[in-house]
Amino acid sequence: MLKNYFKIAFRHLLKNKGFTAINIVGLATGMAAAILIMLWVKSEFSFDRFYSRTDQIYAVGIKDVWAGSPVQHFYTPKPMAAALKTDFPEINHVTRVNKGTGFY
C-alpha cells in the first residue's frame, strides 16, 4: 500500500515539473531561513553565558548621530578604561575591544 502511494506521488511530481520545482525551492528556502534564524537566536541567548557571573558584565558604548541617523558603537577612547577604573571603585576589571584586532 505504501509503495503504491510513493509510485502515485512520483508520477504526479514528474507530470507537474514546474509546480514541483516551485514547491521544492520554496521548501528549501523556508528551511534555510528557519535554520539561520534559529542559529542567530541561539547566538544571541548564549552571548557571554560561559562566564560564571554574567550579571556583573557590562558593555559601554557610544550613541551618536551620523549623517542624520542615530548609530551605536561599542568602542570607546583609550583613556576611558583608566577613567572608569579610577572613578568607579566598584569596577574590578576593564577590558577594551577593538573591532579590527580583538582585545587590547
Side-chain angles (χ1 to χ4, degrees), residues 3-95:
K3 184 179 176 183
N4 189 33
Y5 287 147
F6 281 119
K7 190 188 309 184
I8 292 170
F10 187 69
R11 285 180 187 164
H12 181 69
L13 292 176
L14 286 178
K15 190 164 121 179
N16 302 316
K17 291 179 183 164
F19 182 71
T20 300
I22 290 171
N23 280 336
I24 290 174
V25 167
L27 179 65
T29 304
M31 289 176 66
I35 289 171
L36 288 173
I37 290 170
M38 286 189 313
L39 287 172
W40 177 72
V41 168
K42 181 183 178 228
S43 170
E44 288 295 316
F45 278 119
S46 67
F47 186 75
D48 283 345
R49 295 286 186 241
F50 53 88
Y51 293 111
S52 59
R53 297 179 297 197
T54 57
D55 59 328
Q56 296 181 3
I57 297 175
Y58 296 94
V60 177
I62 298 172
K63 288 186 177 180
D64 198 6
V65 177
W66 186 267
S69 63
V71 293
Q72 187 172 352
H73 303 284
F74 282 102
Y75 54 84
T76 55
K78 276 190 176 185
M80 188 170 191
L84 284 173
K85 189 109 167 124
T86 57
D87 292 349
F88 298 97
E90 55 271 357
I91 294 178
N92 296 329
H93 303 286
V94 177
T95 301

